[in-house]
Amino acid sequence: MPAIVLIGAQWGDEGKGKATDLLGGEFGWVVRYQGGNNAGHTVVTPDGRDFALKLIPSGILSPGVKNVIGNGVVVNPEALIEEKAGLERRGVDTSGLLISADSHLIMPYHVAIDRVTERYLGKAKIGTTGRGIGPAYQDKVARVGVRAADLLDEKILHQKVEAALELKNQILVKVYNRRALDFHEVVDTVLEQSKEFAEKIVDTRLMLNEALERGETLLLEGSQGTLLDVDHGTYPFVTSSNPTAGGASVGSGIGPNKITRVIGILKAYTTRVGSGPFPTELLDEMGEWLRKTGGEVGVNTGRARRCGWFDAVIGRYAVRVNGITDVFLTKLDVLSGLESVPICVGYEVDGHRVDEMPMTQTGFHHAVPVYEEMPGWFEDLSGARTWDDLPATAQAYVQRIEELTGAPVSAIGVGPGREQTITR
Ligand code: IMP
């Protein structure tokens, strides 16, 4: 099994960190292929230690694994150094970390523009993480980005930053009435920072392909989630990259035919951070209960997550657009104690019943969930280790999700610990 993709099948925060960590040990390589330090992966190691990873692949916690920040990722040098140092302070060996020479850098002007743009948008804001992700990807596509390899060539770096900053400063000063950034300060700072990781900047595309040729296995770790994909998500309330499985090939430089399995991570209910439509969102005390019971607070930003029932329409959609072969269902334990558990099986859009994602943004904004009630369970699931340990009603809930989404559930999470997983 040469390359496996692990992808969030909702709006992110499905518990991918745990899945990567569980699988990471089986792989020689764990690769991040998009996003940046907007991600937040919580991993609890076997010795009970809690890690919140942002930019560095979750495989860093599995000794001996090589961890690649792929070409599709946007890298904030300051955030990288901080995260790397934080891991080292806790005794994690980061020597297996590699950074693609083609990954783009998040510069201070990207962060500044992200924040002022959001403020400027007012009510129409995306609710970004404010980490400069969108502006860095904008520059990549506009062909004025700065790449990791540029850090190794001071002359080129000067030229690129100078060209980019000229326009950025005009925007910051003339459009947003902000202070201009000093070119020398920007370049000197990033060069100083790069000393901490320059030797890790390599041709990861070549290395990954050579690893595949040697028969080694790769785990391609998606960040955010399917519905936050810039092409397939709830545009414009999305991130600026392609978390979906197709992005794994582009963002790492391996052929799509090398990917033989796509694991979709689905949470047993739904959450979303930031703005945008969310049909099954619960704005009442039930939503508050899910947030509290599920500990639904952003790892990275500390923002409270919006919570709602499981939405099988988006689940089915995610299975299709990613080619999901099997599902890791997380946080099933959170739903214990409910008389019945609603599952959204379709929508009513402007008086019409629809079973698939509405084609237009307005259609999705108008989607009212159609629920099916599943009998609930009161048992604490956190100690369940096998399928047979689950109450029959919890089993039926999982089976209904399989039927509705069209993908088999191969693993079930019943708590944050590595051992709190049922494999089928
Ligand atoms: P950006 O990625 O910071 O540009 O934010 C765009 C949207 O993606 C916002 O709604 C964010 O809340 C959301 N987002 C970004 N990263 C994550 C994540 O790791 N989990 C969940 N939502 C995210």
Side-chain angles (χ1 to χ4, degrees):
M1 198 159 275
I4 293 188
V5 174
L6 200 65
I7 160 75
Q10 292 151 323
W11 277 286
D13 307 316
E14 296 90 352
K16 290 180 294 281
K18 180 180 168 183
T20 320
D21 173 54
L22 269 173
L23 291 162
E26 297 172 23
F27 294 84
W29 303 72
V30 177
V31 186
R32 274 279 308 266
Y33 58 83
Q34 46 70 234
N37 61 319
N38 51 345
H41 294 155
T42 307
V43 182
V44 181
T45 51
D47 52 5
R49 293 196 303 161
D50 217 298
F51 289 89
L53 296 160
K54 293 172 183 168
L55 175 63
I56 296 180
S58 315
I60 203 78
L61 301 171
S62 302
V65 171
K66 291 213 175 56
N67 286 272
V68 171
I69 292 181
N71 56 277
V73 175
V74 283
V75 179
N76 179 322
E78 190 184 351
L80 173 67
I81 296 171
E82 251 180 57
E83 190 172 346
K84 189 168 151 289
L87 287 168
E88 284 162 3
R89 272 198 300 277
R90 295 183 67 187
V92 176
D93 175 15
T94 62
S95 61
L97 179 66
L98 300 165
I99 302 159
S100 166
D102 288 342
S103 60
H104 279 246
L105 301 181
I106 300 179
M107 304 295 281
Y109 43 87
H110 293 134
V111 180
I113 288 176
D114 194 358
R115 297 198 176 149
V116 286
T117 313
E118 280 285 275
R119 231 171 289 153
Y120 193 77
L121 283 171
K123 265 172 74 181
K125 72 174 184 186
I126 309 293
T128 73
T129 57
R131 303 284 195 266
I133 306 294
Y137 278 116
Q138 281 171 33
D139 275 5
K140 171 178 174 171
V141 176
R143 297 166 294 188
V144 291
V146 181
R147 299 196 288 182
D150 299 330
L151 294 169
L152 309 178
D153 187 333
E154 232 176 275
K155 197 168 149 217
I156 292 279
L157 182 74
H158 273 87
Q159 283 172 11
K160 292 203 173 173
V161 175
E162 191 169 20
L165 203 51
E166 201 175 312
L167 181 62
K168 296 297 181 297
N169 274 339
Q170 300 266 357
I171 295 171
L172 282 169
V173 174
K174 294 188 180 153
V175 179
Y176 295 112
N177 202 20
R178 299 279 135 175
R179 195 173 57 85
L181 298 179
D182 179 67
F183 161 68
H184 293 289
E185 199 182 315
V186 170
V187 174
D188 293 348
T189 306
V190 77
L191 275 174
E192 189 57 33
Q193 289 166 337
S194 71
K195 289 182 187 156
E196 301 281 328
F197 59 86
E199 83 283 359
K200 303 208 169 282
I201 300 172
V202 290
D203 184 349
T204 55
R205 176 173 35 235
L206 177 64
M207 293 173 92
L208 291 173
N209 278 291
E210 284 177 344
L212 285 169
E213 282 158 24
R214 287 193 300 270
E216 294 173 26
T217 51
L218 320 181
L219 182 65
L220 301 151
E221 176 187 30
S223 295
Q224 290 83 50
T226 301
L227 276 297
L228 287 173
D229 186 285
V230 68
D231 283 273
H232 305 291
T234 47
Y235 191 90
F237 302 101
V238 293
T239 194
S240 298
S241 62
N242 290 112
T244 48
S249 171
V250 178
S252 64
I254 66 160
N257 58 344
K258 300 291 189 296
I259 298 166
T260 50
R261 185 179 171 195
V262 179
I263 305 173
I265 318 295
L266 275 172
K267 185 143 54 181
Y269 49 97
T270 314
T271 61
R272 172 165 205 171
V273 198
S275 320
F278 177 1
T280 63
E281 181 171 19
L282 295 163
L283 297 166
D284 54 11
E285 67 278 11
M286 212 50 243
E288 197 46 50
W289 181 83
L290 276 175
R291 186 155 39 246
K292 245 178 145 172
T293 318
E296 297 297 349
V297 175
V299 176
N300 197 334
T301 57
R303 292 188 288 180
R305 296 178 186 142
R306 300 158 64 192
C307 298
W309 299 123
F310 186 85
D311 185 338
V313 180
I314 68 167
R316 188 161 53 240
Y317 176 78
V319 167
R320 287 204 182 108
V321 297
N322 293 297
I324 288 172
T325 51
D326 55 307
V327 164
F328 186 164
L329 188 70
T330 59
K331 294 189 134 177
L332 186 63
D333 55 304
V334 172
L335 297 180
S336 290
L338 297 168
E339 198 75 51
S340 67
V341 193
I343 294 186
C344 167
V345 293
Y347 303 135
E348 207 171 285
V349 180
D350 302 326
H352 300 284
R353 162 75 188 245
V354 297
D355 293 319
E356 305 300 344
M357 281 287 286
M359 188 181 77
T360 64
Q361 191 185 337
T362 309
F364 196 56
H365 273 276
H366 291 184
V368 177
V370 175
Y371 287 114
E372 190 177 286
E373 292 290 332
M374 297 292 295
W377 58 91
F378 289 90
E379 294 87 339
D380 172 11
L381 305 188
S382 61
R385 295 293 174 268
T386 67
W387 175 250
D388 293 334
D389 291 341
L390 292 177
T393 45
Q395 290 179 347
Y397 183 73
V398 175
Q399 283 163 338
R400 189 68 184 128
I401 287 176
E402 289 182 315
E403 276 167 21
L404 290 166
T405 60
V409 172
S410 59
I412 301 161
V414 290
R418 218 183 227 188
E419 73 296 347
Q420 291 178 296
T421 306
I422 296 167
T423 46
R424 291 171 82 200

